[in-house]
Amino acid sequence: MNAAFANLNLPSVPPSFPTSDHCLAHLKLLNTFHALKEDVGYTDGLFGLWDARCEVLEGRVRDEALARTREKRWALYIARAVERFEVWWLKFLCTLEEARRLECKEMLGTEMKFMQFTSRGRVQKWTTSMLPPVDVLMVWHSFMLNPRNYLEDCIRFGLKDLWATGLPWAAVNEAIDTNFNYTVPADGMNIFAGMTGLNWSNADDPIIKTMHCPRCSQQLNIPWTTCGKNRNPSYEEITKLLGTGYGDRDFSYICHRCGGEINHKFLRLAKFRKDTEKLIMQDWPLGGTILSPASGAPEAPSEKEWPSYPNTFPNRVVRIELRSRILELTKPNSSKKPTMDDVKNMIETAVKDRHVIRRCNSRSMSNFLKGERLSIRKMMSRYWENASPFALELGGAVIRQSIFVEKMHNIDWLHSPAATDTMRRLLIKYARFIEIIASNPKQNAVPTLDLDLAWHTHQLSPKSYYDYSMRRSGKFIDHDDKMDEDALSAAFEWTSKTYEKLFQEVYSECTCWYCEAIRSRHISSSMRLWGTSKHEKVLDSFYDSGAAQLCPPDKSAHISSHSAVKPLDSSIQHAVAARLRQQRKLKLEEAYDKACRRAEAKGRPLPPRRTPSEYYGGWGYPYLMYGPYMAVGVIGGVYYAGDPCVMPVGEGMTGSCVAGTCGVGVAAGASGGPGGCAGGGACGSCGSGGGGGCGSSCGGGGCSS
């Protein structure tokens, strides 16, 4: 490895398309993140969580409790890392180029600073002394893998040079040795500590979170977790790890001054209230109102069109109609427990009134049109499950990315003598994948693991990725990381079939039962009347060439499912979804039987059917999964802001769309009925024609849009 990585060519100016060397450097970084996760999870006593508490249990209950404890350490570490990243973003990155926040009045077609943001930045030259700690770097990495969200926040905070630079590959690669140790010079550690007031190590920061009450501004000292506090814990405390600290899922704290309860739901509302105040006082636009939903690019109207421009409608309705009521939501009153649902109800009432629409747009416009509906959903998506100043909840993004990190570690291309050749092949496959996306704008394209490595690597050079995807497809292709697991599998089947048809090669180079079943579904029995079908020829070539022998199930790049999430829906929708899921399961079983019959007829080994528990193991305890396309999830949902591997779906659910914004005629496969959908926390993607991403379950475009 020393020889292989001694001469990686990683120029400071990102290339227009990723190279093999960039992919190899990315693999080094991913292995560093994997080593970090192992270190954190298995550090006994970290954050007051001791393995000895689980030793009083026996058998599988003990093993599961130990796994929960290890994952709880990791969840708390990530929660703290996200807070540390926020401080670093505001106190370091925003000072590198003297950034200034975007104002609503600058979002005009004549403002080149806004319209040409993606091309005006200058590439910064980073040294290893400028790099943050590894936990902060990990959050930054996950942030960039949500391209449209990252662009939006770079524009909002005025970070054009950061956008142009992307991840400083040369400096990052230099900081990681071949044992995946991440080392920054002492002066770099001092710079970070001096500018942020934080320790270099996440674990060395205080176990107490200091914050001000959003109601009365009283300074509060809140424990990050109350798990492990009791010396004689109950059985439930050991096995469930239920806590009420700032980093716990059930966070609850009573302000000793105003008597009001503070929890995660209230903090999300407080964020919206604060952004409303900034909109009124400083003209800062609300999240989700910056980019075009269709293209993902910064687009703006002329001065004449500006008063009724659909994309900025949420700014107008909040500023003109709802301002006083929103500002009053956080007034000290311990009897009220306002949440984002209260904001939702206010908006629902407002958009039903034509007089309100006329006041917020123009005298000639009184109808609530498609553009305004979409803009409301996009704006609300920034606040439902997110109390941070960013466009998405970064802790959940890191959790979901860690699934991909683990799979890359298990495949272990870095130790292969053919690693460089493998990178070249997956880059070719990635270029073909983008071609499929560009040619099929209304379909959801799902990557394989190898292809996803190239795709992620490209996204870590945001400007290059933006220019490439705009040139190839006419839009900024998103990679939002939430998609219903059933929709993911169905879209993967379509992608696989399309790829084989266009390029006469198998899409997923894997011999697990799932990939074999998917390939067998491409082969139509009726085609036998006219000879061997194209898909059957492709499959035969895969086996006859000997390539299949090099693709065992545990070391192959099958479906990339780190974005898979389970839907949390209403009882009626749950029954419908369960029935559809059962039908898909039966179809997969039939396809697997078909694959076995074909293998037997051709004298090939049967595709091995593994037990569900073999698909994924975490912290020494197996997850029970039916197939590799399923959501892995967090054991017990111990993550501080909620389980990041589920999403709410449907009317009445927390995170559902504002009633009246979905409209009718939503694309087939929509998971939200009238008034509710799922899109990265439920809002922002219904029928957007490509604005949604993996969370887009109402026809917005899936993994590739």
Side-chain angles (χ1 to χ4, degrees):
M1 287 184 65
N2 287 323
F5 295 112
N7 299 305
L8 292 182
N9 182 20
L10 303 167
S12 58
V13 178
S16 60
F17 192 80
T19 66
S20 297
D21 285 354
H22 283 91
C23 292
L24 290 171
H26 192 187
L27 283 174
K28 278 181 66 180
L29 180 61
L30 296 181
N31 274 274
T32 300
F33 293 156
H34 181 270
L36 173 69
K37 181 180 179 180
E38 295 286 297
D39 287 344
V40 169
Y42 286 99
T43 299
D44 196 13
L46 184 63
F47 308 130
L49 301 174
W50 297 91
D51 289 351
R53 289 161 53 96
C54 306
E55 296 298 337
V56 298
L57 306 175
E58 296 180 353
R60 290 178 62 86
V61 177
R62 171 188 172 276
D63 293 343
E64 183 178 2
L66 283 170
R68 286 177 182 270
T69 299
R70 291 158 186 164
E71 187 155 13
K72 181 65 177 180
R73 293 183 192 123
W74 178 235
L76 285 167
Y77 186 88
I78 291 175
R80 290 158 62 91
V82 169
E83 298 271 327
R84 287 158 55 83
F85 172 78
E86 179 182 330
V87 175
W88 181 69
W89 175 280
L90 295 174
K91 294 188 176 182
F92 179 76
L93 294 179
C94 288
T95 61
L96 279 182
E97 48 186 300
E98 298 181 353
R100 189 177 65 82
R101 290 289 296 261
L102 175 72
E103 297 178 5
C104 291
K105 63 186 178 185
E106 297 172 319
M107 295 166 59
L108 286 170
T110 54
E111 289 284 343
M112 294 300 101
K113 176 183 175 182
F114 173 69
M115 295 295 293
Q116 297 180 4
F117 177 90
T118 58
S119 60
R120 292 170 66 90
R122 294 180 298 177
V123 175
Q124 300 165 322
K125 183 173 177 58
W126 281 55
T127 64
T128 52
S129 296
M130 297 168 67
L131 294 174
V134 65
D135 63 317
V136 175
L137 181 65
M138 177 176 63
V139 178
W140 190 21
H141 170 271
S142 294
F143 193 5
M144 279 192 274
L145 297 181
N146 291 268
R148 290 194 184 186
N149 289 326
Y150 188 72
L151 172 58
E152 176 181 309
D153 282 340
C154 283
I155 295 175
R156 288 174 62 215
F157 287 90
L159 298 172
K160 65 182 186 306
D161 294 343
L162 182 73
W163 162 263
T165 304
L167 195 73
W169 280 116
V172 170
N173 185 62
E174 184 180 345
I176 302 172
D177 64 22
T178 52
N179 291 318
F180 311 119
N181 297 308
Y182 178 81
T183 307
V184 168
D187 61 332
M189 298 182 185
N190 293 333
I191 290 172
F192 176 82
M195 297 196 73
T196 64
L198 301 169
N199 289 293
W200 179 257
S201 172
N202 180 313
D204 291 338
D205 277 347
I207 197 64
I208 298 296
K209 163 72 176 176
T210 301
M211 63 176 293
H212 290 88
C213 174
R215 292 185 178 90
C216 66
S217 301
Q218 174 66 37
Q219 180 172 307
L220 306 173
N221 296 317
I222 305 173
W224 270 96
T225 182
T226 60
C227 295
K229 184 178 180 180
N230 294 336
R231 292 190 174 183
N232 298 306
S234 66
Y235 176 83
E236 186 176 55
E237 286 178 309
I238 297 173
T239 57
K240 301 298 184 183
L241 287 172
L242 302 176
T244 57
Y246 185 80
D248 295 322
R249 181 176 181 179
D250 299 322
F251 166 48
S252 178
Y253 191 87
I254 304 299
C255 175
H256 55 267
R257 181 179 178 184
C258 67
E261 182 187 12
I262 302 171
N263 54 32
H264 290 305
K265 288 184 177 181
F266 182 73
L267 290 180
R268 294 161 194 154
L269 172 73
K271 171 195 174 179
F272 187 81
R273 193 265 184 205
K274 182 178 180 181
D275 282 5
T276 296
E277 186 177 43
K278 296 295 184 183
L279 171 68
I280 296 167
M281 303 298 294
Q282 296 179 264
D283 199 32
W284 293 358
L286 296 172
T289 65
I290 311 295
L291 304 178
S292 162
S295 68
E299 293 181 4
S302 63
E303 287 191 38
K304 182 179 180 181
E305 299 169 320
W306 190 78
S308 59
Y309 185 54
N311 208 38
T312 55
F313 175 77
N315 296 326
R316 297 194 297 276
V317 76
V318 168
R319 195 200 306 251
I320 296 171
E321 190 66 24
L322 304 176
R323 54 190 291 174
S324 60
R325 280 176 283 172
I326 291 173
L327 293 178
E328 289 174 359
L329 284 173
T330 58
K331 281 189 174 181
N333 188 337
S334 58
S335 64
K336 292 185 178 180
K337 297 182 179 180
T339 68
M340 281 302 297
D341 278 322
D342 292 279
V343 175
K344 171 188 171 182
N345 294 335
M346 288 181 188
I347 295 176
E348 285 178 352
T349 301
V351 299
K352 290 177 183 177
D353 190 334
R354 290 195 172 193
H355 297 290
V356 171
I357 305 299
R358 188 179 295 114
R359 284 196 296 271
C360 296
N361 282 333
S362 66
R363 294 184 181 276
S364 60
M365 295 182 63
S366 60
N367 293 324
F368 191 39
L369 303 176
K370 178 181 178 181
E372 283 87 352
R373 294 198 298 267
L374 177 57
S375 66
I376 288 290
R377 294 197 303 272
K378 295 297 289 184
M379 181 274 291
M380 291 294 285
S381 72
R382 302 299 189 260
Y383 299 92
W384 275 121
E385 298 293 328
N386 181 18
S388 79
F390 303 109
L392 78 160
E393 202 286 294
L394 290 171
V398 176
I399 288 281
R400 290 185 293 273
Q401 266 310 314
S402 65
I403 299 168
F404 178 79
V405 169
E406 185 156 344
K407 290 182 178 180
M408 287 291 102
H409 171 78
N410 291 338
I411 293 177
D412 197 21
W413 279 318
L414 279 181
H415 291 91
S416 166
T420 301
D421 290 336
T422 301
M423 299 303 107
R424 292 194 186 105
R425 288 198 303 273
L426 60 85
L427 285 168
I428 293 172
K429 193 173 180 181
Y430 165 60
R432 293 172 173 178
F433 179 73
I434 296 296
E435 182 180 331
I436 290 174
I437 294 173
S439 302
N440 302 272
K442 294 185 178 181
Q443 291 287 348
N444 301 342
V446 176
T448 51
L449 282 168
D450 52 350
L451 186 160
D452 220 3
L453 173 65
W455 196 7
H456 288 190
T457 304
H458 204 180
Q459 290 167 45
L460 295 173
S461 298
K463 183 180 182 301
S464 298
Y465 177 68
Y466 176 89
D467 293 341
Y468 181 81
S469 61
M470 289 293 287
R471 186 170 63 251
R472 296 294 299 272
S473 69
K475 66 179 180 181
F476 187 25
I477 300 172
D478 206 1
H479 183 262
D480 197 356
D481 64 351
K482 272 191 174 184
M483 189 175 186
D484 174 84
E485 59 187 21
D486 296 317
L488 184 87
S489 183
F492 178 76
E493 182 179 335
W494 174 85
T495 311
S496 176
K497 187 173 184 178
T498 302
Y499 186 93
E500 289 184 15
K501 181 179 179 181
L502 290 175
F503 304 110
Q504 289 76 56
E505 294 179 8
V506 295
Y507 184 54
S508 176
E509 297 173 356
C510 175
T511 54
C512 76
W513 78 268
Y514 173 75
C515 291
E516 292 281 19
I518 290 295
R519 286 192 290 265
S520 70
R521 282 179 57 81
H522 303 339
I523 300 171
S524 172
S525 300
S526 61
M527 292 299 295
R528 289 188 174 278
L529 297 173
W530 314 101
T532 305
S533 70
K534 290 182 178 180
H535 291 290
E536 189 166 7
K537 289 179 180 178
V538 169
L539 186 55
D540 287 343
S541 175
F542 176 57
Y543 275 96
D544 295 343
S545 66
Q549 297 178 11
L550 304 177
C551 302
D554 58 338
K555 291 289 184 180
S556 297
H558 50 205
I559 181 174
S560 185
S561 59
H562 64 87
S563 58
V565 294
K566 295 179 182 295
L568 287 179
D569 44 25
S570 62
S571 58
I572 295 177
Q573 288 174 316
H574 180 78
V576 173
R579 192 163 185 172
L580 292 174
R581 188 174 299 116
Q582 184 62 27
Q583 290 178 358
R584 173 143 191 91
K585 183 178 178 180
L586 290 174
K587 289 180 180 179
L588 278 175
E589 292 285 357
E590 292 172 358
Y592 173 65
D593 290 340
K594 180 179 177 181
C596 289
R597 292 194 300 271
R598 291 189 70 259
E600 189 173 11
K602 292 180 176 292
R604 298 197 293 254
L606 301 182
R609 183 60 181 271
R610 299 182 160 206
T611 60
S613 62
E614 290 184 67
Y615 272 109
Y616 188 84
W619 310 113
Y621 190 83
Y623 289 99
L624 297 179
M625 298 174 64
Y626 177 72
Y629 59 91
M630 298 181 71
V632 172
V634 178
I635 300 177
V638 297
Y639 181 60
Y640 73 109
D643 192 333
C645 295
V646 301
M647 64 181 176
V649 176
E651 187 174 10
M653 299 290 291
T654 298
S656 64
C657 285
V658 174
T661 62
C662 282
V664 295
V666 180
S671 56
C677 70
C683 280
S685 38
C686 311
S688 62
C694 282
S696 182
S697 55
C698 291
C703 273
S704 60
S705 63

